[in-house]
Amino acid sequence: MLKIYNTLAREKQVFTPIIAGKVSMYVCGMTVYDYCHLGHARVMVVFDMVSRWLRVSGYAVKYVRNITDIDDKIIKRANENKETIAQLTQRFIHAMDEDSVQLGVIRPDIEPKATDFIEGMIGMISALVEKGFAYAADNGDVFYAVKNFDGYGKLSGKSLEDLRAGERVEVDTHKKDPMDFVLWKSVKPNEPSWDSPWGKGRPGWHIECSAMSSHHLGERFDIHGGGQDLQFPHHENEIAQSEAAHSHDGKSCQMVNYWMHNGFVRVDDEKMSKSLGNFFTIRTVLEKYDAEVVRFFILRAHYRSPLNYSDQHLDDAKLALTRLYTALRGHHMVSAEAIDWQHAQAARFKAALDDDFNTPEAMAVLFDLANEVNKTKSVAVAALLRNLAAILGLLQRDANEFLQGVGQVSNIQSNAVEMNQPFDSDVIDRKILERIAAKKAKNFAEADHIRKALAEAGIILEDTPQGTTWRRA
RNA sequence: GGCACGAUAGCAAAGCGGUUAUGCCGCGGCCUGCAAAGCCGUUUAGACCAGUUCGACUCUGGUUCGUGCCUCCA
């Protein structure tokens, strides 16, 4: 029985889908004006894990993750770069796709773009105006009248009074209430615009998600996710828009049953963000660390906890993942067979993920299984380890491929290249043969010398009854 | 200022009202020509102060500290 921490209720709740056997899930995706950073990676990986677990649990999942391809920052950046908005957004959508593939993220079922939904947004704004939840100001902007929506603040736990008291924004004189937010912005010079009943303009930020989620998932759906920072105002405003627009006879229709928010990635105990400038892009990190290590690092913490980024933590994650792959060495990939959920560890794994997606506990199961594989050499346990890890999107490579760093560049390896010592596998194999010969001749000094030389290039040799193997540090 | 969340061993990170979390590091042993890997064992916990309880890291209250949101942000 799956339980999910519902931000709306501030507690874990038993998950009951609207339609038995089906799950509709919407996640706020990226605004594509720059490369994705680790914070974005966390959203992608976390909700990828969530969708995988829902599917393994037997649900038919419809997973929608939007792309925001029109907003202030996009317009600004395109102007700075002297390129069109389409050129800019295409470029970064492509980069985002590359990053997510690297991180083992399965594509969402639908990735709607805001600019493809202008009509739907205009329709929704019109409905809001008709129902008295929105008004057009004399400058052509259309605002949402927050005080007309009873439940405003229910997601973020804020009251309108508190919000007004803490008001730090410059008051827009066109607004009736400082807390009102914009649905439609009137056109400005050098900005793209679309025709609307209120004149040329472009949509505000929040309306796109309301329009796209209801179009693809209906007026009411099961799960809505995103980063913690979207809780307010973005998600609060989505609720206000959707529930008011879909109200019938003055009765509002609940938009989302379960709201999920993932915690931040931090640097030096501070939120990683564009505005603070302390962010690391995914591709920067991938220059130094294997993508699976990054994925492992993300899933090693519970999705709602803060996740502190540092090289030390990535190094630690790499060593931990190495332990798992080491246990799988010699156990070749098996075709994914059905998992025996009666198995004690499998049951523990399931219980962990059913408990609000407790991936750290699920990981502990993987390590216990690795220990069992090391002790018993059981092929069945190794297969179970692999199949459970697959649910987290981990351990799907050949063990030696990971351990020997195929397709990745480690620091030490690049140093070796700089020293004109390309330690490719052929060279390593030859050195190993030389060392075996030395060992046979009882020339241990020579054998140790060879091993030491390789070690300095980051190649660790391991003698086993089956022969000598190697891996990269 | 308002609201919310958190504080676990050297580092990271979970569960749990009483029974080994887990990973990395450290230490001892086994194994090894020596290593590495692995296995076995092991040292470091639960911010502070009260309360509830036979018993609290786990529940309740308070204190302190930290982070986040209140403005674009995953």
Side-chain angles (χ1 to χ4, degrees):
Chain A
M1 190 170 58
L2 174 64
K3 284 185 177 179
I4 297 178
Y5 182 89
N6 187 354
T7 309
L8 199 54
R10 267 163 240 296
E11 64 178 15
K12 281 186 207 170
Q13 297 180 322
V14 173
F15 176 70
T16 311
I18 294 165
I19 300 169
K22 293 188 177 181
V23 176
S24 43
M25 177 163 87
Y26 184 94
V27 171
C28 286
M30 264 49 79
T31 300
V32 283
Y33 71 102
D34 206 342
Y35 292 113
C36 292
H37 64 233
L38 239 34
H40 301 115
R42 192 174 193 190
V43 183
M44 293 195 280
V45 169
V46 161
F47 288 100
D48 178 58
M49 175 276 294
V50 167
S51 67
R52 285 172 188 248
W53 182 240
L54 289 169
R55 290 194 166 107
V56 168
S57 301
Y59 292 109
V61 179
K62 190 170 180 185
Y63 174 20
V64 180
R65 189 184 64 204
N66 75 295
I67 295 171
T68 300
D69 61 349
I70 179 70
D71 100 314
D72 291 356
K73 283 178 300 236
I74 289 173
I75 294 168
K76 183 163 174 274
R77 184 64 59 89
N79 284 338
E80 283 168 5
N81 292 356
K82 297 193 176 13
E83 62 185 331
T84 67
I85 285 171
Q87 284 168 338
L88 177 82
T89 56
Q90 271 311 310
R91 203 146 53 82
F92 287 113
I93 288 171
H94 182 68
M96 176 183 80
D97 288 342
E98 285 179 347
D99 291 342
S100 58
V101 165
Q102 289 279 301
L103 292 170
V105 172
I106 297 170
R107 256 193 130 83
D109 301 292
I110 303 168
E111 294 180 272
K113 291 199 285 260
T115 52
D116 290 336
F117 276 82
I118 304 290
E119 211 175 305
M121 293 187 231
I122 291 172
M124 196 168 227
I125 297 170
S126 299
L128 288 169
V129 171
E130 272 168 38
K131 291 178 178 176
F133 288 101
Y135 57 93
D138 48 20
N139 67 343
D141 288 352
V142 181
F143 293 101
Y144 188 99
V146 157
K147 73 168 172 17
N148 293 355
F149 182 70
D150 278 344
Y152 197 77
K154 65 182 175 184
L155 178 69
S156 52
K158 298 175 188 302
S159 71
L160 270 179
E161 282 172 38
D162 293 344
L163 285 166
R164 290 192 186 108
E167 186 60 55
R168 297 190 306 196
V169 204
E170 270 183 53
V171 177
D172 183 329
T173 50
H174 298 285
K175 291 182 184 178
K176 289 180 182 168
D177 184 310
M179 290 319 299
D180 288 349
F181 59 90
V182 69
L183 296 166
W184 188 260
K185 299 180 176 188
S186 59
V187 67
K188 289 170 192 63
N190 301 318
E191 286 192 358
S193 64
W194 289 263
D195 287 322
S196 84
W198 315 281
K200 280 186 174 296
R202 61 186 172 92
W205 173 34
H206 316 294
I207 194 70
E208 61 174 270
C209 287
S210 285
M212 292 188 280
S213 65
S214 61
H215 178 268
H216 286 295
L217 301 174
E219 295 186 353
R220 182 171 191 167
F221 53 96
D222 295 302
I223 298 172
H224 189 131
Q228 229 161 38
D229 45 2
L230 297 184
Q231 206 176 110
F232 189 90
H234 185 54
H235 291 162
E236 195 69 64
N237 291 353
E238 274 187 51
I239 291 175
Q241 293 165 340
S242 292
E243 300 196 351
H246 299 144
S247 62
H248 303 287
D249 304 324
K251 292 179 83 176
S252 68
C253 155
Q254 185 170 351
M255 177 195 187
V256 171
N257 285 347
Y258 301 88
W259 283 90
M260 292 180 67
H261 291 97
N262 65 275
F264 297 130
V265 175
R266 299 184 187 175
V267 178
D268 296 330
D269 287 314
E270 234 184 9
K271 177 185 170 184
M272 177 183 291
S273 75
K274 286 282 172 84
S275 33
L276 287 171
N278 62 346
F279 62 90
F280 292 83
T281 64
I282 295 172
R283 45 195 58 208
T284 305
V285 175
L286 292 186
E287 282 171 16
K288 203 166 170 187
Y289 293 96
D290 184 273
E292 190 173 354
V293 169
V294 176
R295 187 178 174 102
F296 179 90
F297 167 71
I298 290 170
L299 293 175
R300 214 179 175 198
H302 184 84
Y303 76 90
R304 282 189 285 117
S305 303
L307 178 63
N308 232 358
Y309 170 83
S310 74
D311 279 5
Q312 191 206 326
H313 296 152
L314 267 294
D315 289 340
D316 189 81
K318 181 185 177 180
L319 288 170
L321 189 56
T322 297
R323 176 172 165 78
L324 293 178
Y325 266 119
T326 302
L328 289 175
R329 194 155 50 173
H331 293 279
H332 296 293
M333 293 292 294
V334 286
S335 56
E337 48 197 282
I339 293 165
D340 173 18
W341 294 108
Q342 300 301 310
H343 187 285
Q345 295 292 16
R348 201 178 135 214
F349 185 93
K350 176 172 159 50
L353 290 186
D354 271 347
D355 183 17
D356 194 30
F357 309 97
N358 190 340
T359 52
E361 173 67 14
M363 293 258 195
V365 172
L366 300 185
F367 284 99
D368 285 346
L369 285 172
N371 178 258
E372 205 177 322
V373 170
N374 287 333
K375 272 192 286 197
T376 66
K377 310 293 173 203
S378 163
V379 174
V381 176
L384 179 63
L385 169 56
R386 253 203 163 110
N387 288 332
L388 289 177
I391 294 168
L392 300 177
L394 298 169
L395 301 184
Q396 297 308 293
R397 287 190 273 172
D398 176 75
N400 273 330
E401 222 170 83
F402 175 83
L403 296 169
Q404 299 183 348
V406 175
Q408 51 175 303
V409 182
S410 77
N411 296 334
I412 297 161
Q413 192 183 358
S414 51
N415 286 345
V417 171
E418 279 168 28
M419 293 187 297
N420 272 325
Q421 293 177 338
F423 277 93
D424 58 35
S425 56
D426 288 346
V427 175
I428 295 164
D429 287 343
R430 201 166 65 236
K431 292 279 180 194
I432 287 174
L433 288 177
E434 283 174 23
R435 180 166 164 276
I436 287 170
K439 285 203 328 176
K440 270 193 178 152
K442 301 281 183 203
N443 185 353
F444 293 121
E446 173 62 14
D448 290 350
H449 174 77
I450 292 168
R451 186 170 62 196
K452 198 179 167 210
L454 284 170
E456 279 166 7
I459 308 297
I460 297 167
L461 296 189
E462 298 178 347
D463 295 335
T464 74
Q466 288 77 40
T468 300
T469 60
W470 65 275
R471 66 191 168 91
R472 290 191 196 279

